[in-house]
């Protein structure tokens, strides 16, 4: 019997965190698993914190991941990684998009963006994958495909067939961007 896989996705509004969560859950369902998903975006507009919980397995009863139980954290932004790090289990995997988005408090001089945040996180977590998501998305043809690049990096860590990912991505992104997103997914998948 397969254990339940817990994936927490975090980032800021406008990065495609919620769509990424939808695609993960739908890919798991298309692969024959039960899946549950929940998201917290409250007042988050563009630039606000967004988090999505996705759990899949033979039977999943709750969509929420408790602290210390995430098998994978897929982080779209470096500082958001630190905000949700307590959810990662000791032997869990952390995939970090190498991107910093300056929050309003930093832009207005009321706070400072943490220095060397990724290096500090790497001192706490053994299994860290750094992904140049924006660079690969632009290589695929659009910076907007950064979420699909990160899904590719995540897919490498999961036991869900790549054709199921392609099937769901093709259904969920605008028709005119399907090939671009498939290319972005493959660039992310081939990163590790």
């Amino acid at each position: 019997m397969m254990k339940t896989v817990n994936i927490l996705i975090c980032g800021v509004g406008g990065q495609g965190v919620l769509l990424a969560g939808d695609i993960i859950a739908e890919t798991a369902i298309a692969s024959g698993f039960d899946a549950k998903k929940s998201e917290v975006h409250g007042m988050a507009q563009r630039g606000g914190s967004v988090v999505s919980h996705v759990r899949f397995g033979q039977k999943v009863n709750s969509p929420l991941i408790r602290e210390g139980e995430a098998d994978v954290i897929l982080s779209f932004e470096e500082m958001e990684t630190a905000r949700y790090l307590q959810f990662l289990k000791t032997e869990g995997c952390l995939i970090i998009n190498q991107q910093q988005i300056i929050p309003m408090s930093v832009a207005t001089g009321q706070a400072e963006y943490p220095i060397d945040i990724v290096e500090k996180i790497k001192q706490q977590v053994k299994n860290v994958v750094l992904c140049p998501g924006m660079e690969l998305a632009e290589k695929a043809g659009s910076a907007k495909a950064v979420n699909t690049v990160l899904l590719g990096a995540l897919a490498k860590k999961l036991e869900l067939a790549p054709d199921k990912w392609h099937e769901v991505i093709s259904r969920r992104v605008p028709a005119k961007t399907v090939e671009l997103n498939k290319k972005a997914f493959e660039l992310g998948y081939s990163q590790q």
Side-chain angles (χ1 to χ4, degrees):
M1 183 175 185
M2 178 190 175
K3 72 174 186 81
T4 299
V5 178
N6 300 314
I7 302 166
L8 187 134
I9 309 121
C10 59
V12 300
Q15 287 191 293
V17 170
L18 301 180
L19 177 60
D22 288 348
I23 291 173
I24 295 166
E26 289 182 31
T27 301
I29 291 169
S31 301
F33 297 106
D34 185 24
K36 298 279 189 294
K37 177 182 170 295
S38 181
E39 55 202 40
V40 178
H41 47 96
M43 294 295 288
Q45 303 284 320
R46 220 165 254 288
S49 183
V50 179
V51 64
S52 181
H53 296 230
V54 178
R55 304 182 72 220
F56 70 89
Q58 296 302 322
K59 177 68 180 160
V60 178
N61 295 315
S62 168
L64 296 177
I65 301 167
R66 289 186 284 189
E67 290 187 10
E69 293 190 353
D71 297 289
V72 181
I73 292 180
L74 181 63
S75 176
F76 283 43
E77 201 278 335
E78 292 179 2
M79 190 162 63
E80 292 301 312
T81 312
R83 189 184 310 267
Y84 294 100
L85 198 55
Q86 74 275 14
F87 281 89
L88 189 66
K89 64 172 52 171
T90 305
E91 66 279 11
C93 175
L94 182 56
I95 301 171
I96 305 173
N97 180 28
Q98 294 175 288
Q99 183 178 9
Q100 295 180 352
I101 297 176
I102 304 301
M104 187 58 72
S105 60
V106 173
T108 59
Q110 296 173 344
E112 293 183 16
Y113 198 96
I115 298 171
D116 297 331
I117 193 164
V118 172
E119 289 307 313
K120 291 175 183 170
I121 289 169
K122 286 170 70 177
Q123 291 171 7
Q124 298 176 49
V125 180
K126 291 180 183 174
N127 192 358
V128 176
V129 176
L130 298 177
C131 181
M134 187 62 75
E135 177 187 325
L136 294 175
E138 289 173 351
K139 188 175 178 180
S142 173
K144 292 179 180 177
V146 68
N147 58 348
T148 316
V149 169
L150 294 171
L151 286 174
L154 172 69
K156 191 84 170 192
K157 300 290 182 186
L158 302 178
E159 295 178 15
L160 303 175
D163 65 315
K164 297 294 184 192
W165 289 96
H166 282 276
E167 179 186 309
V168 175
I169 288 168
S170 298
R171 197 172 58 242
R172 291 302 310 263
V173 301
K176 66 181 180 184
T177 67
V178 167
E179 291 310 313
L180 183 155
N181 277 286
K182 283 183 178 178
K183 182 177 180 183
F185 178 87
E186 289 303 322
L187 287 170
Y189 192 83
S190 63
Q191 264 301 285
Q192 304 153 44

